[in-house]
Amino acid sequence: MDIHDFYDKMDRDNILLSFKGDITAELLTSILQIIESKMDNMQEEPKLKKKVYIVLVELLQNLYHHMDDPSMASGSANDASRTAIFMIGKEQQHYNVITGNYIKNDKVTGLKKKMDDINALPPEKLKEHYKMILNNGQMSDKGGGGLGMIDIARRTGKPLFYQFTPINDAYSFFTLNIVIEQ
Amino acid sequence: MEIITIESTPKTPTIKFDSKKGRLEIKGRSIPENSVEFYKPLVESLEQYASSPNSPTQVDIQLEYFNTASSKCILDVLKRLESIHRQGNQVIINWYYEEDDEDMREAGEDYQAIVNLAFNMQQVEIE
């Protein structure tokens, strides 16, 4: 691996932090602390800082709960299915957050539909949808039962840009790109 | 009856619940990975408290951030308070948000629309 190429690429894309590996609770805490202090150093506008922070929390915890999912780990083709990639960069006035993780093929259609449904809703409908799921949705013992994606779309006011790359019979790679503006 | 005190951490808020005085305070960040586990002691003691609640019960909620996993638990707490109110007891909810933090104000309004409780929306200066 040419580390200088890698450096150049990160520099070009204004990457503040990137990580590939197992997502643990301790790691999430560290990433959030690093990004928070970086934004403090850049004297980021408080409102944008808050928005970036809470969107990061949702994205990282989505990854974390996937790592935790035994259905992802058991019988997996390789250990890679337990790891994820995370990147955050800043270009001019907006932040770019990209996450990537393996997902079982049988979950792709459901997740895709969920995101398409969210992307199709105008802001005021998104708010109603959020309240409806909050009040009626089943809470899993891991999280908000699908509220995370709605919250991200609601806070950023932008569509969820996603991609699924087929890997093999069992897995695809799921990439999510979130843009956060003032 | 007991007093619950949970000190804040970078991911969890301070929780103070004094069932004798009927005072509950939730303050700080609430972004734990396992929110259900975190809120369990509070939810359980509210359940007990509901059998002989104070009137009024005063609740102060001042959150800087909360994740969606916590949002369900906060609703759970509010629903228990709602049922105390339904029994004919006074429940006062003060929902604090930093000036400029429209998202947190809106979150309070969302809750208010779901549970049948009046919220006092209190704007506070940014610390």
Side-chain angles (χ1 to χ4, degrees), chain A residues 26-38 53, chain B residues 10:
Chain A
E26 294 71 32
L27 180 82
L28 295 200
T29 312
S30 308
I31 290 178
L32 290 169
Q33 272 165 359
I34 290 167
I35 295 300
E36 194 172 31
S37 72
K38 281 199 183 218
Y53 190 86

Side-chain angles (χ1 to χ4, degrees), chain A residues 25 28-29 36 47 50 53-54 58 61 64-65 127 133-135 137 139 142 147 151 154-155, chain B residues 11 29 31 33 36 64-69 71-72 75 79 98 100-103 106 110 114:
Chain A
L28 295 200
T29 312
E36 194 172 31
K47 230 170 150 174
K50 241 179 193 180
Y53 190 86
I54 196 68
E58 293 301 329
Q61 291 186 347
Y64 173 80
H65 290 307
K127 185 183 157 92
I133 305 268
L134 175 63
N135 198 18
M139 172 93 176
K142 285 179 184 171
L147 273 178
D151 192 57
R154 201 178 154 187
R155 287 179 192 273
Chain B
K11 284 184 177 173
R29 294 181 177 192
I31 53 166
E33 283 82 26
V36 176
E64 191 190 352
Y65 300 110
F66 63 88
N67 60 356
T68 52
S71 68
K72 285 269 187 186
L75 180 61
K79 283 194 166 169
E98 289 184 348
D100 277 11
D101 193 348
E102 287 144 41
D103 287 344
E106 218 174 291
D110 284 355
I114 295 173

Side-chain angles (χ1 to χ4, degrees), chain A residues 154, chain B residues 66 95 102-112 119 121:
Chain A
R154 201 178 154 187
Chain B
F66 63 88
W95 182 273
E102 287 144 41
D103 287 344
M104 196 51 76
R105 182 177 50 83
E106 218 174 291
E109 289 166 1
D110 284 355
Y111 280 126
Q112 195 172 198
F119 282 39
M121 304 300 283

